[in-house]
Amino acid sequence: MTQTYWLEHAWLATHVEPGVALDVADGRITAVRTGVTTPPPGAEILRGLTLPGLANAHSHAFHRALRGTVQVGSGTFWTWREVMYATADRLTPDSYHALARAAYAEMALAGITAVGEFHYVHHAPGGTPYADPNAMGEALVAAAADAGIRITLLDTCYLSAGFGQPPNTHQLRFSDGSAEAWAERCSVLKERDHARIGAAIHSVRAVPAGQLATVARWAEERRAPLHVHLSEQTAENEACQQAHGRTPTQLLAEHGVLGPRTTGVHNTHLTDEDIALIGGSGTGTCMCPTTERDLADGIGPAAALQRAGSPLSLGSDSHAVVDLLEEARAMELNERLRTRTRGHWTAAALLRAASADGHAALGWDGAGTIEAGALADLTTVALDSVRTAGPLPGLGAETAVFAATAADVRHTIVAGRHVVRDGAHTLVPDVPQALARAVEALRA
């Protein structure tokens, strides 16, 4: 059965087009018709600016429980990490499902149709596997289905506390003991219509150099996405230099980790040689500006990385904010602060990072565009809110990126189905209450 959507305004990769009709069947766009000035009979009407669904390329769902609790006093990434570990210690498969379902529903309200979940809380406290060794990952996959969005479960290898150090008490939950055991466990995970399975190396400090190639080979054999936290902190760079005499990027390159299906997350503190290695290999970069500023990480060289050949995507990471439009805006504004010049990316380029390139980083080919054959995943942004009212004709993309927020998302459609209609989630009736209950359960 074919459903027709009439888009008052649509962003078609290069420009905003008024009056666009989409025919959708079996979850994909079958036809795009422009110049349709009035809604066809029976069409679903999407008033505002419709974009391709947004892709959140880097998420730690349980970090959502930290929002508002880690803003008292001073500190660094490393002091914040201790609070994060305490939250991870309390997770169970059931509580993780409840929290992730609510967090993913919040993402849907923000126009996000696919999430890359960088998942490393695998086992029970103390490191004992659950009866189903993938119980925690399965909880996340089920949570995404219940919230109505797509997920790429980036099952993460995490084996050590630092270079040459065994996992600490908190990290025992994360470790499979070896990369071979990690590969055996996550090979059991199955893809579904809404779920892809990818791989992740937590960081060069968390996976011994001799085991990096095992993870890279697992991803290569499956043609799966491979993500890695890279040079988020200068302390990690210094420790890597001391242990291996090279930067984290050089170490990854040496062990075959870099490449077109790999995405480095953060890529903050890089040398010129690092940037050339990442760009020259086609390795992607996922910037998470709201988290990077929240944790005082620094501003990464996103513009230089893109010039070198690294595709850019965006993530909300710790979920201090869940707003991909803000992530896109922040990447440009951070670069303005650093360089004291404006206009490093067009609005169209920033929207590509938040949509098509983000989906590509998560292994969702044919997503993130409004064209025949693409997945029918759409996000509609209101153009009549106090933030977005009054743009010049044709400036809808600029309004979306530089003025709109997640609060302006009116509709979110995944596989041709309304997940958010008129600002309300259709599957999770009261998202704020679901979030409150899930967070309180972890604090109790």
Side-chain angles (χ1 to χ4, degrees):
M1 178 178 175
T2 298
Q3 172 68 55
T4 298
Y5 288 89
W6 183 77
L7 285 48
E8 185 179 29
H9 302 277
W11 180 64
L12 301 182
T14 58
H15 66 288
V16 172
E17 182 81 21
V20 175
L22 303 182
D23 294 331
V24 173
D26 297 324
R28 290 189 177 269
I29 298 170
T30 58
V32 179
R33 291 173 281 133
T34 59
V36 183
T37 56
T38 58
E44 288 259 15
I45 297 172
L46 303 181
R47 295 208 178 273
L49 171 64
T50 298
L51 314 169
L54 306 179
N56 186 354
H58 189 66
S59 161
H60 300 292
F62 76 92
H63 290 191
R64 177 60 182 81
L66 301 176
R67 186 185 297 177
T69 68
V70 289
Q71 302 298 342
V72 178
S74 61
T76 66
F77 167 86
W78 305 103
T79 54
W80 168 88
R81 190 176 72 159
E82 294 305 310
V83 182
M84 179 270 288
Y85 281 160
T87 301
D89 287 343
R90 294 192 288 272
L91 291 170
T92 68
D94 287 344
S95 66
Y96 207 2
H97 173 270
L99 179 59
R101 172 179 174 269
Y104 296 156
E106 180 183 4
M107 292 181 198
L109 290 173
I112 292 164
T113 57
V115 60
E117 184 60 39
F118 200 100
H119 165 56
Y120 54 81
V121 187
H122 301 305
H123 308 299
T128 302
Y130 290 101
D132 174 0
N134 287 303
M136 296 294 265
E138 292 290 354
L140 293 165
V141 171
D146 291 345
I149 69 172
R150 304 182 193 275
I151 186 172
T152 297
L153 187 72
L154 298 162
D155 197 288
T156 303
C157 188
Y158 195 134
L159 305 173
S160 57
F163 298 98
Q165 301 174 25
N168 65 30
T169 300
H170 303 293
Q171 296 162 345
L172 290 172
R173 297 198 74 173
F174 312 159
S175 177
D176 291 293
S178 69
E180 289 77 12
W182 164 85
E184 182 178 355
R185 177 186 52 74
C186 62
S187 292
V188 178
L189 289 161
K190 302 299 183 185
E191 296 194 339
R192 276 141 272 195
D193 287 345
H194 80 290
R196 299 280 182 269
I197 306 300
I201 292 164
H202 180 272
S203 56
V204 294
R205 71 177 186 274
V207 178
Q211 301 192 57
L212 293 170
T214 300
V215 184
R217 186 164 53 250
W218 187 94
E220 177 67 26
E221 288 171 353
R222 290 158 180 78
R223 302 188 67 79
L226 172 61
H227 288 214
V228 55
H229 289 136
L230 180 55
S231 289
E232 182 179 5
Q233 296 292 322
T234 55
E236 178 181 281
N237 288 2
E238 292 161 2
C240 189
Q241 284 282 4
Q242 185 173 2
H244 296 289
R246 48 189 51 77
T247 68
T249 300
Q250 292 167 340
L251 189 67
L252 293 175
E254 187 176 90
H255 290 275
V257 175
L258 303 185
R261 280 192 300 279
T262 299
T263 297
V265 181
H266 302 303
N267 292 0
T268 306
H269 303 285
L270 303 177
T271 66
D272 290 343
E273 181 182 347
D274 292 340
I275 292 170
L277 282 170
I278 292 167
S281 63
T283 300
T285 294
C286 178
M287 302 300 293
C288 306
T290 65
T291 291
E292 289 149 6
R293 72 192 185 198
D294 184 63
L295 299 181
D297 287 345
I299 299 172
L305 283 159
Q306 188 170 55
R307 286 195 297 270
S310 180
L312 298 180
S313 56
L314 296 163
S316 64
D317 192 357
S318 68
H319 312 315
V321 175
V322 173
D323 188 337
L324 260 288
L325 299 174
E326 171 63 17
E327 302 293 348
R329 175 164 58 244
M331 188 163 68
E332 165 68 21
L333 298 184
N334 281 352
E335 197 68 12
R336 292 182 187 185
L337 285 174
R338 194 222 309 264
T339 63
R340 291 180 288 175
T341 60
R342 294 160 56 89
H344 301 276
W345 290 277
T346 63
L350 293 170
L351 286 176
R352 279 195 299 274
S355 56
D357 289 346
H359 283 96
L362 297 178
W364 288 99
D365 297 329
T369 61
I370 298 177
E371 60 184 0
L375 292 173
D377 296 355
L378 306 169
T379 297
T380 302
V381 177
L383 293 178
D384 56 1
S385 77
V386 293
R387 289 165 294 277
T388 61
L392 294 170
L395 288 184
E398 287 75 12
T399 300
V401 172
F402 292 105
T405 74
D408 296 308
V409 172
R410 181 172 283 164
H411 307 293
T412 303
I413 293 168
V414 180
R417 178 182 70 163
H418 268 282
V419 175
V420 173
R421 186 190 295 271
D422 295 322
H425 203 289
T426 62
L427 303 176
V428 183
D430 190 336
V431 177
Q433 185 62 31
L435 284 162
R437 284 196 302 264
V439 172
E440 181 58 32
L442 287 180
R443 294 176 182 166

